Structures are given as C-alpha cells and as structure tokens.
Amino acid sequence: MIYTVTLNPSIDYIVEVHDIQLGGLNRMNRDLKLPGGKGINVSRILNQLGAENTAIGFLGGFTGRFINDKLREDRIRTDFVTIADDTRINIKLKHGEETEINGLGPAITTEEADRLVSKLSALHQGDIVILSGSIPPSLGNDFYEKLIAVCRQKGAEFVIDTTGPALMDALKYQPLLVKPNHHELAELFGVNIETREELVVYGRKLLAAGAQHVLISMAGEGALLITETDVFHATVPKGTVRNSVGAGDSMIGGFVGTWVLNGNLQEAFRTGVASGSATAFSDDLSERAYIEELRNQVGITQLQP
C-alpha cells in the first residue's frame, strides 16, 4: 500500500480574471475549487494510474469536509485526522501571470499530532509512505522525523518531497526517493549550479548522505534520475504551460505509482516526467489518457556515471 501524508492541505481556489483593478470591483471570468496539498496531489495522480493508495494528514472544518468529499467522489481512500481548526484556502489568481495567496494553515494540537503518528502504526513491511510539503509551525521542525521513525520501525519505505533542513535531516534515514528541482538543489548546498554535470555532482551528494534515488526536475531542460550505479536524463514533451501547481507532485505520483505497479525504474522515470508535463499543460492535475499520450514523447538517455 502507498500512503500519502499531507500535513497542511488546502482548498485551491483558482480564480481567473482579465485584469485587476486594485481598490475597485473585479469580476471573475471563471473559478475552480480543488482539493490541494502536495500529498493529496500525489494521491490524485496515483489514482489516475490505478495505484492503490490512502491519503492521510489533517483536515478540519467545512473546508476539510469539502476536501474529503471530493477525494471520496474520485474513489480515493482517505484516513485523515479530524482537527478542531479549519483547513486553509489557497488562492491562485490568474491574470496573465499567476499570483498565489496561501493561507497560514490551522494550529494542530499535540493530541491531534499524536493521532496521526498512531495511524502509521498500521504500516507493514513493503508499504511506501510519501511525505510531501512543509511542516506547519505548530508541529515542530522534527515532525517528519517522528513519522519516519515509525516507517523504519514497521519496515516501510518512505519518499520525502520537501526542502531545506527537513530534507537534509531525513537523508540519514535512507529515503527511497528525494525530488528537488534544480533551484532547490542549489539552495540546499548554497551554490550556483549552471551545468547538468554539476547537477549530477550535487545529486550524488544526496545519495552519499543516504538517499536511495534522486530525481531532479529541470523545467524545460528535462529531468535527471541518479542511482548508485546509473544516471539517466529524460527529455520533456512539448506543450504550453498553463498550470504551475502540482507538476512536481505529479512527477512523484507517476514515478512511484509506476514503480510499484511494474517494478521498471526507467518506465517509472518516463511516466513521472510525462505526468509532471501533463499537469503543467492542463488546468488541473493530469488525467491518465493525457499521461499515456505524453509518455511516448519522453526520451531517456543513460549518461556516463
């Protein structure tokens, strides 16, 4: 079983307007309300690929009920901890370029946090837990480490998609996969990275620190997959970028879901890149038919290790 963990979900409220008049009345051309949060995005892509998964995390209030209902409508299994505070709303304002206004998120009590840790006690050997996104301040900076400790105790693998100290602290526990983009990788090591060769060098530093596989997204330049023995480069399909939300989450969902379903690392890489691209070219997260269409446009080359 695959479990996705979203500590700070949201309703993503997407609003499109032709122009913005500050201080005046503005009317929408269209709007869209979607269940949001990085782990939830991963669950939605896994669902498209037919990979069984359960979405867990924290949900509260009318906003939390909306998210849970939408996921259930899509037949995604959920097991969220219900909290007293309301789940946040994030506004994605589209007016030529996209402006994001993200909610602060709820305060989570110690008792609520402990209930989420307890849910992972049902893990079994061979399960995969995908930890995605930032940690709400009320949980403390070490909360991912608490969840990882349960994964290790139960013999489950984990994937972590976050940045900064939370990512670096997780490496010693040997995550199955980490997925920084090229900017995040440079920030992790406090350097400027200008070439693909330099990306490989710093990607290998993540391997040396404990990661089992490193997936680096490079926007229009494609993506790299680095393992202990191999380095692969994938090209990205051609298309018009319409959506900046969820492409990285889609890549993780496509990669992990395909790997679990067929065990082929290169096909997992190909599907991950196609999933991320399909989301970038869509108004919402990608659907299976579009992912399959773009898979054939992803070329993979093995580089010199």
mmCIF file of all heavy atoms in Angstrom, residues 183-202:
data_model
loop_
_atom_site.group_PDB
_atom_site.id
_atom_site.type_symbol
_atom_site.label_atom_id
_atom_site.label_comp_id
_atom_site.label_asym_id
_atom_site.label_seq_id
_atom_site.Cartn_x
_atom_site.Cartn_y
_atom_site.Cartn_z
ATOM 1 N N HIS A 183 16.712 24.393 -8.776
ATOM 2 C CA HIS A 183 16.909 25.545 -7.891
ATOM 3 C C HIS A 183 17.018 25.093 -6.432
ATOM 4 O O HIS A 183 17.881 25.579 -5.682
ATOM 5 C CB HIS A 183 15.740 26.526 -8.043
ATOM 6 C CG HIS A 183 15.613 27.115 -9.410
ATOM 7 N ND1 HIS A 183 16.630 27.831 -10.006
ATOM 8 C CD2 HIS A 183 14.584 27.080 -10.300
ATOM 9 C CE1 HIS A 183 16.238 28.230 -11.205
ATOM 10 N NE2 HIS A 183 15.004 27.781 -11.406
ATOM 11 N N GLU A 184 16.161 24.175 -6.026
ATOM 12 C CA GLU A 184 16.183 23.690 -4.645
ATOM 13 C C GLU A 184 17.492 22.971 -4.339
ATOM 14 O O GLU A 184 18.023 23.083 -3.218
ATOM 15 C CB GLU A 184 14.997 22.754 -4.410
ATOM 16 C CG GLU A 184 13.654 23.472 -4.418
ATOM 17 C CD GLU A 184 12.472 22.528 -4.524
ATOM 18 O OE1 GLU A 184 12.684 21.345 -4.882
ATOM 19 O OE2 GLU A 184 11.343 22.975 -4.257
ATOM 20 N N LEU A 185 18.021 22.219 -5.302
ATOM 21 C CA LEU A 185 19.287 21.523 -5.083
ATOM 22 C C LEU A 185 20.416 22.519 -4.838
ATOM 23 O O LEU A 185 21.245 22.337 -3.936
ATOM 24 C CB LEU A 185 19.612 20.638 -6.290
ATOM 25 C CG LEU A 185 20.846 19.744 -6.161
ATOM 26 C CD1 LEU A 185 20.698 18.745 -5.015
ATOM 27 C CD2 LEU A 185 21.106 18.996 -7.471
ATOM 28 N N ALA A 186 20.441 23.588 -5.619
ATOM 29 C CA ALA A 186 21.469 24.616 -5.420
ATOM 30 C C ALA A 186 21.329 25.273 -4.044
ATOM 31 O O ALA A 186 22.327 25.500 -3.347
ATOM 32 C CB ALA A 186 21.369 25.667 -6.526
ATOM 33 N N GLU A 187 20.087 25.549 -3.626
ATOM 34 C CA GLU A 187 19.860 26.173 -2.327
ATOM 35 C C GLU A 187 20.273 25.256 -1.181
ATOM 36 O O GLU A 187 20.778 25.725 -0.151
ATOM 37 C CB GLU A 187 18.385 26.557 -2.185
ATOM 38 C CG GLU A 187 17.967 27.717 -3.088
ATOM 39 C CD GLU A 187 16.471 27.958 -3.076
ATOM 40 O OE1 GLU A 187 15.770 27.236 -2.329
ATOM 41 O OE2 GLU A 187 16.004 28.850 -3.812
ATOM 42 N N LEU A 188 20.063 23.951 -1.349
ATOM 43 C CA LEU A 188 20.433 23.007 -0.298
ATOM 44 C C LEU A 188 21.912 23.100 0.044
ATOM 45 O O LEU A 188 22.311 22.977 1.210
ATOM 46 C CB LEU A 188 20.110 21.573 -0.729
ATOM 47 C CG LEU A 188 18.670 21.104 -0.598
ATOM 48 C CD1 LEU A 188 18.513 19.720 -1.216
ATOM 49 C CD2 LEU A 188 18.230 21.072 0.868
ATOM 50 N N PHE A 189 22.744 23.315 -0.988
ATOM 51 C CA PHE A 189 24.199 23.327 -0.779
ATOM 52 C C PHE A 189 24.788 24.732 -0.839
ATOM 53 O O PHE A 189 26.005 24.891 -0.727
ATOM 54 C CB PHE A 189 24.870 22.426 -1.820
ATOM 55 C CG PHE A 189 24.559 20.959 -1.629
ATOM 56 C CD1 PHE A 189 23.586 20.331 -2.381
ATOM 57 C CD2 PHE A 189 25.224 20.219 -0.659
ATOM 58 C CE1 PHE A 189 23.287 18.985 -2.193
ATOM 59 C CE2 PHE A 189 24.936 18.875 -0.460
ATOM 60 C CZ PHE A 189 23.959 18.263 -1.226
ATOM 61 N N GLY A 190 23.929 25.744 -0.999
ATOM 62 C CA GLY A 190 24.414 27.117 -1.008
ATOM 63 C C GLY A 190 25.361 27.429 -2.148
ATOM 64 O O GLY A 190 26.361 28.139 -1.968
ATOM 65 N N VAL A 191 25.055 26.912 -3.345
ATOM 66 C CA VAL A 191 25.931 27.090 -4.503
ATOM 67 C C VAL A 191 25.110 27.553 -5.704
ATOM 68 O O VAL A 191 23.880 27.506 -5.698
ATOM 69 C CB VAL A 191 26.667 25.777 -4.856
ATOM 70 C CG1 VAL A 191 27.582 25.343 -3.714
ATOM 71 C CG2 VAL A 191 25.672 24.667 -5.204
ATOM 72 N N ASN A 192 25.815 27.987 -6.734
ATOM 73 C CA ASN A 192 25.203 28.215 -8.040
ATOM 74 C C ASN A 192 25.498 27.005 -8.920
ATOM 75 O O ASN A 192 26.655 26.578 -9.026
ATOM 76 C CB ASN A 192 25.768 29.479 -8.703
ATOM 77 C CG ASN A 192 25.361 30.741 -7.980
ATOM 78 O OD1 ASN A 192 24.219 30.869 -7.538
ATOM 79 N ND2 ASN A 192 26.288 31.681 -7.851
ATOM 80 N N ILE A 193 24.475 26.460 -9.531
ATOM 81 C CA ILE A 193 24.644 25.306 -10.407
ATOM 82 C C ILE A 193 24.263 25.728 -11.818
ATOM 83 O O ILE A 193 23.138 26.171 -12.057
ATOM 84 C CB ILE A 193 23.775 24.116 -9.944
ATOM 85 C CG1 ILE A 193 24.208 23.660 -8.547
ATOM 86 C CG2 ILE A 193 23.875 22.965 -10.940
ATOM 87 C CD1 ILE A 193 23.384 22.512 -7.992
ATOM 88 N N GLU A 194 25.202 25.591 -12.749
ATOM 89 C CA GLU A 194 24.987 26.102 -14.098
ATOM 90 C C GLU A 194 24.983 25.012 -15.165
ATOM 91 O O GLU A 194 24.568 25.274 -16.301
ATOM 92 C CB GLU A 194 26.055 27.148 -14.434
ATOM 93 C CG GLU A 194 26.009 28.371 -13.509
ATOM 94 C CD GLU A 194 27.061 29.403 -13.854
ATOM 95 O OE1 GLU A 194 27.900 29.105 -14.737
ATOM 96 O OE2 GLU A 194 27.045 30.490 -13.250
ATOM 97 N N THR A 195 25.442 23.816 -14.847
ATOM 98 C CA THR A 195 25.524 22.768 -15.854
ATOM 99 C C THR A 195 24.867 21.487 -15.359
ATOM 100 O O THR A 195 24.688 21.280 -14.155
ATOM 101 C CB THR A 195 26.994 22.452 -16.215
ATOM 102 O OG1 THR A 195 27.639 21.852 -15.074
ATOM 103 C CG2 THR A 195 27.739 23.713 -16.635
ATOM 104 N N ARG A 196 24.539 20.624 -16.315
ATOM 105 C CA ARG A 196 23.964 19.333 -15.966
ATOM 106 C C ARG A 196 24.965 18.493 -15.184
ATOM 107 O O ARG A 196 24.590 17.757 -14.261
ATOM 108 C CB ARG A 196 23.534 18.600 -17.241
ATOM 109 C CG ARG A 196 22.728 17.341 -16.992
ATOM 110 C CD ARG A 196 22.060 16.863 -18.244
ATOM 111 N NE ARG A 196 23.013 16.387 -19.236
ATOM 112 C CZ ARG A 196 22.691 15.974 -20.454
ATOM 113 N NH1 ARG A 196 21.429 16.010 -20.850
ATOM 114 N NH2 ARG A 196 23.607 15.547 -21.302
ATOM 115 N N GLU A 197 26.236 18.619 -15.529
ATOM 116 C CA GLU A 197 27.275 17.868 -14.818
ATOM 117 C C GLU A 197 27.334 18.269 -13.350
ATOM 118 O O GLU A 197 27.519 17.413 -12.468
ATOM 119 C CB GLU A 197 28.632 18.089 -15.491
ATOM 120 C CG GLU A 197 28.790 17.450 -16.867
ATOM 121 C CD GLU A 197 28.001 18.165 -17.957
ATOM 122 O OE1 GLU A 197 27.664 19.361 -17.771
ATOM 123 O OE2 GLU A 197 27.704 17.522 -18.986
ATOM 124 N N GLU A 198 27.136 19.549 -13.069
ATOM 125 C CA GLU A 198 27.135 19.998 -11.675
ATOM 126 C C GLU A 198 25.910 19.472 -10.935
ATOM 127 O O GLU A 198 25.986 19.132 -9.744
ATOM 128 C CB GLU A 198 27.169 21.527 -11.627
ATOM 129 C CG GLU A 198 28.499 22.130 -12.055
ATOM 130 C CD GLU A 198 28.456 23.644 -12.114
ATOM 131 O OE1 GLU A 198 27.425 24.200 -12.532
ATOM 132 O OE2 GLU A 198 29.454 24.264 -11.718
ATOM 133 N N LEU A 199 24.772 19.386 -11.631
ATOM 134 C CA LEU A 199 23.591 18.795 -11.006
ATOM 135 C C LEU A 199 23.856 17.356 -10.586
ATOM 136 O O LEU A 199 23.444 16.929 -9.505
ATOM 137 C CB LEU A 199 22.410 18.840 -11.974
ATOM 138 C CG LEU A 199 21.737 20.195 -12.198
ATOM 139 C CD1 LEU A 199 20.712 20.098 -13.315
ATOM 140 C CD2 LEU A 199 21.084 20.698 -10.922
ATOM 141 N N VAL A 200 24.544 16.612 -11.438
ATOM 142 C CA VAL A 200 24.860 15.221 -11.106
ATOM 143 C C VAL A 200 25.771 15.165 -9.882
ATOM 144 O O VAL A 200 25.578 14.341 -8.977
ATOM 145 C CB VAL A 200 25.508 14.510 -12.307
ATOM 146 C CG1 VAL A 200 25.992 13.113 -11.908
ATOM 147 C CG2 VAL A 200 24.524 14.407 -13.465
ATOM 148 N N VAL A 201 26.760 16.061 -9.843
ATOM 149 C CA VAL A 201 27.686 16.082 -8.706
ATOM 150 C C VAL A 201 26.934 16.288 -7.397
ATOM 151 O O VAL A 201 27.130 15.559 -6.414
ATOM 152 C CB VAL A 201 28.756 17.182 -8.892
ATOM 153 C CG1 VAL A 201 29.533 17.400 -7.589
ATOM 154 C CG2 VAL A 201 29.709 16.810 -10.011
ATOM 155 N N TYR A 202 26.047 17.282 -7.373
ATOM 156 C CA TYR A 202 25.342 17.575 -6.121
ATOM 157 C C TYR A 202 24.217 16.568 -5.867
ATOM 158 O O TYR A 202 23.879 16.299 -4.708
ATOM 159 C CB TYR A 202 24.827 19.013 -6.133
ATOM 160 C CG TYR A 202 25.956 19.992 -5.896
ATOM 161 C CD1 TYR A 202 26.576 20.644 -6.956
ATOM 162 C CD2 TYR A 202 26.440 20.222 -4.607
ATOM 163 C CE1 TYR A 202 27.634 21.515 -6.746
ATOM 164 C CE2 TYR A 202 27.489 21.092 -4.386
ATOM 165 C CZ TYR A 202 28.089 21.732 -5.450
ATOM 166 O OH TYR A 202 29.149 22.578 -5.232
#
